[in-house]
Amino acid sequence: MKKTLLTVAGLTFASAAAAQTEVLTVYAPDYFGSEWGPGPSIEAAFEERCGCDLQYQTGDLLPRLLLEGERTEADVAIGFNTDVTKRARDSGLFAPHGLDLSPLTLPLEWSDDTFLPFNYGHTAFIYDNTKSDGFDSFEALLDAPDDLRIVIQDPRSSISGLALVLWVNAVYGDEAEAAWARLAPKIVTVTQGWSESYGLFTDGEADVVLSYTTSPVYHIIAEEDLTKSAAIFEEGHYFMVELAAKLATTDNPELADQFLEFILTEDFQTMIPTTNWSFPAALSEDKWPEGFQDLPMPETVLFYDENEAAALRDGAIEAWRSALSQ
């Protein structure tokens, strides 16, 4: 009888302890929470710090948040970029982070009090350097033979695809549609997302893929494959920052704040390069993994802030759509 009572008491205590464990709900894109993304390592490291339970809910980040509005279960959202943050900010769903931004090592000034950077990169076209010498400019790519097979992502469904149309707009301005018309014969397909495009490239179905300047370092570190290179353009490359923010409606503001503080720590930042294959936003270059320090970097960085990106978005997409539909 005593054993039974002790067992019941033990179960009751365990249940009470489990009930007291705080849960931090983080909305993130699919890639972030996947087994090959940065999410699992970040989850384990943060849970060790907080003694809490970090739970990801993945999917289309901003559309879901806008649909749920103030009913959202999210405490934190991670995976935005400046091409969409105006819509996010205008929703009124997010609260200031209140953090000191001096640890940031971005190659530009950052003073946003709501959206916190966790990594950055540049869009680029990736090619097999055993089959091609690559391209040193956008013009060289546009002038390439029409039998060159390029795969890109749809700007209406992909952040990298949207970055590309804004990149073309930044380089060509009013001549963007004409530039797309020159590129169109070489584009063999447009995929919904990045992973589909990159898979076609690695499977040999395409010669060139839209990706990021950091993509080759994945092959170098994870596969010891030196055959992939990013074409560095003299016109410059479009700069992207990935961001996190706290929901104003969170039931757990202190834990949400703790997570945002964690983003700026060396523990978090050292996980980013070899899980998200991007440049960490708050880590000095001498602490980057070997391979990252040797990557070719664009001499010119092209960047639209959120207001510029929002104003240019529809026109840039229409220039792309119009040229590719002819």
Side-chain angles (χ1 to χ4, degrees), residues 192-203:
Q192 272 203 310
W194 172 88
S195 59
E196 302 98 311
S197 285
Y198 210 81
L200 290 171
F201 170 68
T202 55
D203 288 343

Side-chain angles (χ1 to χ4, degrees), residues 113-125:
D113 67 354
T114 301
F115 293 95
L116 182 69
F118 66 93
N119 67 213
Y120 69 92
H122 317 84
T123 49
F125 288 96

Side-chain angles (χ1 to χ4, degrees), residues 43-294:
E43 178 182 359
F46 185 65
E47 287 180 345
E48 186 174 347
R49 281 174 168 251
C50 69
C52 64
D53 180 13
L54 190 161
Q55 297 181 3
Y56 294 113
Q57 292 193 26
T58 60
D60 291 335
L61 188 59
L62 184 55
R64 179 178 181 179
L65 286 165
L66 294 177
L67 180 64
E68 293 177 349
E70 293 183 358
R71 298 176 291 104
T72 184
E73 297 178 355
D75 299 303
V76 171
I78 191 166
F80 298 110
N81 67 74
T82 47
D83 296 336
V84 301
T85 47
K86 179 170 173 53
R87 287 182 67 205
R89 195 187 308 276
D90 289 349
S91 72
L93 290 173
F94 300 94
H97 53 65
L99 292 171
D100 173 17
L101 298 178
S102 61
L104 292 176
T105 53
L106 297 173
L108 48 72
E109 291 295 321
W110 193 269
S111 58
D112 195 319
D113 67 354
T114 301
F115 293 95
L116 182 69
F118 66 93
N119 67 213
Y120 69 92
H122 317 84
T123 49
F125 288 96
I126 307 301
Y127 65 96
D128 186 329
N129 58 43
T130 66
K131 299 177 181 178
S132 170
D133 293 331
F135 314 91
D136 61 4
S137 67
F138 236 123
E139 278 297 296
L141 181 65
L142 299 189
D143 287 339
D146 285 351
D147 60 359
L148 182 73
R149 300 171 301 165
I150 300 175
V151 287
I152 64 171
Q153 296 94 59
D154 192 321
R156 298 164 296 187
S157 58
S158 163
I159 60 170
S160 50
L162 178 56
L164 175 59
V165 298
L166 291 171
W167 184 13
V168 171
N169 186 85
V171 172
Y172 289 99
D174 293 341
E175 300 301 318
E177 186 172 341
W180 278 114
R182 293 166 63 192
L183 191 63
K186 311 176 216 323
I187 297 173
V188 293
T189 193
V190 177
T191 63
Q192 272 203 310
W194 172 88
S195 59
E196 302 98 311
S197 285
Y198 210 81
L200 290 171
F201 170 68
T202 55
D203 288 343
E205 298 297 320
D207 305 310
V208 176
V209 61
L210 171 68
S211 192
Y212 303 95
T213 54
T214 49
S215 295
V217 80
Y218 165 78
H219 300 283
I220 294 169
I221 293 176
E223 302 175 341
E224 298 183 353
D225 176 4
L226 306 179
T227 65
K228 309 300 187 293
S229 295
I232 303 299
F233 290 171
E234 61 187 24
E235 297 98 336
H237 288 250
Y238 193 73
F239 181 80
M240 296 179 65
V241 189
E242 285 198 286
L243 309 155
K246 177 176 70 172
L247 273 295
T249 53
T250 177
D251 293 329
N252 222 332
E254 292 182 0
L255 195 57
D257 287 341
Q258 190 177 346
F259 182 77
L260 292 180
E261 290 170 6
F262 178 53
I263 286 175
L264 295 179
T265 66
E266 188 168 323
D267 285 348
F268 182 104
Q269 291 293 308
T270 53
M271 288 186 276
I272 286 296
T274 55
T275 59
N276 213 33
W277 304 102
S278 300
F279 295 112
L283 193 67
S284 59
E285 188 173 337
D286 63 298
K287 294 180 180 178
W288 293 357
E290 186 176 353
F292 274 81
Q293 298 170 8
D294 301 325

Side-chain angles (χ1 to χ4, degrees), residues 1-12:
M1 184 67 176
K2 289 181 179 179
K3 184 176 181 180
T4 302
L5 289 173
L6 288 171
T7 301
V8 171
L11 290 171
T12 301

